[in-house]
Amino acid sequence: MAGMQGTVATYDAATRSGVLLLDDGTELAFPARAFDASGLRLLRLGQRVRVDTDAAGEVVRVTLPTMA
């Protein structure tokens, strides 16, 4: 599922994983593989991101809202 957006609540550069706060207030953890799939080099706390999930609701990619 694409099109969800949220804000970076936590990000650990050592593990490349963290937690997003979605616009509806839901916390959603993302694994290193979702960050790696983005092509980004880092994330900042409070940064807006777009979230892509699979059919099971697992985060598969975290990108900037302006990236396709």
Side-chain angles (χ1 to χ4, degrees), residues 10-38:
T10 67
Y11 175 67
D12 183 338
T15 64
R16 299 180 328 280
S17 62
V19 175
L20 306 172
L21 184 60
L22 301 180
D23 290 346
D24 68 359
T26 304
E27 288 188 354
L28 183 63
F30 66 91
R33 67 181 174 277
F35 176 77
D36 294 343
S38 73

Side-chain angles (χ1 to χ4, degrees), residues 1-64:
M1 176 181 197
M4 290 191 300
Q5 290 193 13
T7 304
V8 177
T10 67
Y11 175 67
D12 183 338
T15 64
R16 299 180 328 280
S17 62
V19 175
L20 306 172
L21 184 60
L22 301 180
D23 290 346
D24 68 359
T26 304
E27 288 188 354
L28 183 63
F30 66 91
R33 67 181 174 277
F35 176 77
D36 294 343
S38 73
L40 299 173
R41 290 191 277 161
L42 63 94
L43 289 172
R44 295 182 327 272
L45 298 183
Q47 186 172 21
R48 289 289 294 171
V49 293
R50 188 181 74 200
V51 183
D52 296 332
T53 58
D54 63 15
E58 297 294 317
V59 178
V60 295
R61 190 167 78 145
V62 176
T63 61
L64 300 179

